[in-house]
Amino acid sequence: MSVDLNGIGPGQVNTQRTTADKSSSSQGTQPASSEQAKTQAQSARGESVSLSNQAKNLKQLEQKLGDYPEMDDDRIAEIRSALENGTYKIDAEKLAQKMLEMDESIFG
């Protein structure tokens, strides 16, 4: 199946431009980088962003948490060794209590 595109003219194609495209094309023939276009578009609209103290604190906490490994390799090695030696003890009451707490948090 073939499609004949010879009859399509510029008036038949969706040629809408964004505000940033219009401002960069009206500046002349000098191409502007996308970073400059974004900066100019934002300054033209007068947009600014300010973060609350709580948001700043959350960002700092996120960065600190990123420094910690997801797994504690030393603790994993300790448990693995205890399992191999047969010295790993399970507290049944503590396990049951944690299971009940988890069930309550899920189902209410």
Side-chain angles (χ1 to χ4, degrees), residues 50-62:
S50 62
L51 299 176
S52 67
N53 286 334
Q54 185 178 15
K56 291 176 185 176
N57 290 338
L58 286 174
K59 185 64 176 173
Q60 288 175 350
L61 286 173
E62 181 182 15

Side-chain angles (χ1 to χ4, degrees), residues 35-108:
E35 186 68 30
Q36 289 173 338
K38 288 178 186 177
T39 304
Q40 290 172 353
Q42 287 176 350
S43 63
R45 289 182 280 191
E47 293 181 2
S48 66
V49 175
S50 62
L51 299 176
S52 67
N53 286 334
Q54 185 178 15
K56 291 176 185 176
N57 290 338
L58 286 174
K59 185 64 176 173
Q60 288 175 350
L61 286 173
E62 181 182 15
Q63 290 172 346
K64 287 179 183 177
L65 286 174
D67 295 340
Y68 292 107
E70 288 187 29
M71 297 181 288
D72 186 358
D73 294 331
D74 294 335
R75 179 72 176 139
I76 292 171
E78 180 183 322
I79 293 171
R80 183 172 287 143
S81 174
L83 286 171
E84 289 172 357
N85 296 337
T87 58
Y88 187 77
K89 301 293 183 206
I90 297 173
D91 184 357
E93 285 186 30
K94 186 176 179 181
L95 177 62
Q97 184 63 37
K98 291 290 184 179
M99 290 173 69
L100 288 173
E101 289 172 6
M102 185 169 55
D103 184 55
E104 189 174 312
S105 71
I106 293 172
F107 299 111

Side-chain angles (χ1 to χ4, degrees), residues 21-38:
D21 291 340
K22 289 177 184 176
S23 65
S24 65
S25 66
S26 66
Q27 292 176 357
T29 58
Q30 183 183 26
S33 70
S34 63
E35 186 68 30
Q36 289 173 338
K38 288 178 186 177

Side-chain angles (χ1 to χ4, degrees), residues 3-23:
V3 178
D4 182 19
L5 300 176
N6 291 331
I8 296 179
Q12 296 171 316
V13 179
N14 185 3
T15 59
Q16 293 180 345
R17 292 183 171 174
T18 62
T19 307
D21 291 340
K22 289 177 184 176
S23 65

